[in-house]
Amino acid sequence: MTRKQRRMTIIGGSLAVLALAAALVLNALRDSIVFFSTPTMVAENHVQPGKRFRLGGLVQPGSLQRGDNLAVTFEVADGGAKLPVAYKGILPDLFREGQGVVAEGALDANGVFKADTVLAKHDETYMPKDVADALKKQGHWKDDYGTQASGGARPAATTAQGNSQGAVR
């Protein structure tokens, strides 16, 4: 084997090992990727039961029901569709009806979203990019979101008892 052939063999072998390593990494990451959807997107795309995704939208007023052992059910809507959600655990402090929520989990065979993680947005000035894009697409975007986030008037903070306090920053 000449020197040039040996060098080409080493380079070819290195590329093969690198391609194998990249394939293994991408295969491992495929299982941990979770996509974002709204209830309308779930209905349109006919998401298969058991497939994990993030569900985002607004908690429907009057839909929150608390059960035994920290079990909670509620509906998430985006203006076009509603999806029932079941969750067992402690909800975030800022979770309430009419607020935005992002839940991670999967649909069961009955069409109920079984969440294992629930995240509540803290106020109307913050919104995940995916949720904001979905609201804009469906026409539910409020134009004052950007002005409040960029230094407009801040809403007064509210204590756990519901008393209003002036926010000083």
Side-chain angles (χ1 to χ4, degrees):
M1 215 184 227
T2 66
R3 191 173 184 197
K4 187 175 184 180
Q5 289 173 332
R6 200 174 322 137
R7 189 178 317 138
M8 293 305 280
T9 304
I10 291 172
I11 291 172
S14 299
L15 288 175
V17 168
L18 184 62
L20 179 65
L24 289 173
V25 167
L26 290 175
N27 188 37
L29 289 177
R30 181 180 59 182
D31 294 335
S32 65
I33 294 174
V34 179
F35 292 101
F36 174 84
S37 297
T38 63
T40 301
M41 292 166 68
V42 171
E44 289 173 355
N45 297 336
H46 304 292
V47 176
Q48 298 298 319
K51 183 175 182 189
R52 291 188 57 79
F53 63 96
R54 287 189 180 131
L55 175 68
L58 299 175
V59 178
Q60 283 296 104
S63 68
L64 181 63
Q65 297 176 358
R66 298 184 185 271
D68 295 337
N69 298 329
L70 301 176
V72 178
T73 60
F74 55 92
E75 287 184 343
V76 173
D78 62 356
K82 291 187 233 180
L83 191 63
V85 177
Y87 176 68
K88 187 170 185 175
I90 299 173
L91 289 169
D93 290 337
L94 297 174
F95 180 90
R96 62 182 173 270
E97 295 175 344
Q99 279 293 107
V101 67
V102 175
E104 187 174 326
L107 284 176
D108 67 4
N110 298 325
V112 176
F113 186 79
K114 299 288 186 180
D116 51 36
T117 305
V118 173
L119 306 170
K121 67 184 191 100
H122 67 319
D123 67 8
E124 71 277 358
T125 60
Y126 168 77
M127 189 171 302
K129 182 174 179 358
D130 294 335
V131 175
D133 291 344
L135 287 174
K136 284 179 185 177
K137 182 178 176 182
Q138 295 171 0
H140 295 289
W141 181 256
K142 295 180 184 175
D143 287 331
D144 62 345
Y145 284 145
T147 58
Q148 288 180 358
S150 64
R154 295 184 185 267
T158 306
T159 64
Q161 291 81 20
N163 299 331
S164 180
Q165 299 176 342
V168 179
R169 297 190 192 243

